[in-house]
Amino acid sequence: MNNILSKKPLIISGPCSAESRQQTIETCCQLAQSGRVDVLRAGIWKPRTKPGSFEGVGSIGLEWLAEAKRLTGLPIATEVATSKHVEQAIKYDVDVLWIGARTSINPFSVQELADALRGANVTVLIKNPMAPDVNLWQGAVERIINAGIKNVGLIHRGFASYNCEFRNNPMWHIAIEMKRRMADIPMICDPSHICGNRDKIALVAQKSSDLNYDGLMIESHISPDKALSDAEQQLTPQELIQILDQIKWRDTNFSSEKYTEILEVMRSEIDQIDSELINLISHRMKITDQIGEIKRQNNVAILQSDRWNQIIERLLNQTDRSTLSEDFLISLLEIIHLESIRRQTNIMNNQ
Ligand code: PEP
Ligand code: MN
C-alpha cells in the first residue's frame, strides 16, 4: 500500500458514525464525486460519554464502508479502541485506523492496540488524548511505532475543558509542541471535534493551514440534523466543499530567492534578540539571588506584594499595548517572578 499520508493537504471526511447502509454509501459517494476527499471515514464503534446513546452499528458497518471503498476507489478509515476492533477492521481491509481521544489517554489501551497491530500493513492516526498532556500523546505514538507501524499520523482534536468557546479547547501550543517533537509525522486537524458545532469549522481549519498542518478530518453527513451522533457539528458534503474552497493553503517554504533572503535576515535578527533576552533574564536572576541573600541575612519575607505590584504597574504604563497585550505582559512577568521566588526560597532554606 502506498503511503496515504504523503498527500498534502490530506482531506478525510465522512460521517461521525455509520448509521445505515444507505447513509454511509450516499455520504461517501457524494464526497468521492466532489474529487476533494482523499479518505472516507465512519465510526463503527462509538465511545459515548453516557450509556444509552447510540454506540455505533458494530461490524456490519464495516461491510458498508468496504462497499463504499469498492464503489469509490478511495481508502477507508475507522476508529479502533480494542484488539477485537483492530482484528475486525483488518479483516475488512480498512486502510486507516485511528485511535480516539478517550483511548489515547490510556496507556494500557494503547498498548493493547499496538500489540494487535504488530506487523499490520495499515496507516494509524493517533488523536490527542482528552487531557492536555504532550508526553501522554507522544507515548501513545511511540507505542504504535514500536509495534512496527510505518505510516503514522497525528490528529489534533482539542482537549476536554469547561467554560470554553469550543467543545474541546484547541490549546494550539500543545499541538505545536507535539509537531516540534515529532517533526516527521504528519499533523491533521479535526475542526469538527474542536468546535462541536458548524459555526467555527472554517475558522479552525484555516488556522491549522496557517500553522502548516498536513490535512483535515471533518465530519460530514447527508442529513446532519438527523445524525445519531454529533449532529450539531456535521456538515453536508456540499457545505464541506464550500469550506474547503475557502481555505487558503499556505506554502511550507518560501520559493522565491528574495523572500528567502529577507527571511534569513529577519531570522538572524530574532536569534540575536533571543540571545539578548536570555542573557538579560539570567542577569536579572543573578541580581534577585543577591537580593535573596540580603533578605535571608535580615530575615525578611521573600514575597513583597507592594513591590511586585509596582513592577507590573510601571511596565504596563510604559508598554505600547498595540505590540504587547496586557495579558501577555502579565503572564511573562509572572513566569519571571515565580522563578525569582523559587530561587530566593532555595537561598533562604540553604543557609
Ligand atoms: C470521532 O472522530 O468521531 C471521535 C469520536 O473522535 P474523538 O476521539 O476525537 O472524540
Ligand atoms: Mn464524532
Side-chain angles (χ1 to χ4, degrees), residues 15-17 41 46 127 167 190 192-193 219 229-230 233-234:
C16 176
S17 305
R41 65 151 278 161
K46 300 303 296 179
K127 286 200 173 197
R167 174 181 176 192
D190 172 347
S192 305
H193 289 90
E219 291 182 340
S229 59
D230 288 349
Q233 72 195 29
Q234 301 205 59

Side-chain angles (χ1 to χ4, degrees), residues 104-121:
S104 63
I105 198 166
N106 183 342
F108 285 136
S109 302
V110 177
Q111 192 56 51
E112 178 188 328
L113 294 176
D115 294 340
L117 283 162
R118 199 170 291 281
N121 185 16

Side-chain angles (χ1 to χ4, degrees), residues 277-289:
L277 269 175
I278 298 299
N279 284 342
L280 279 173
I281 292 172
S282 17
H283 187 58
R284 189 188 192 283
M285 289 301 163
K286 281 185 198 135
I287 297 176
T288 50
D289 285 356

Side-chain angles (χ1 to χ4, degrees), residues 59 76 106 305 346:
S59 312
I76 51 176
N106 183 342
S305 298
N346 280 345

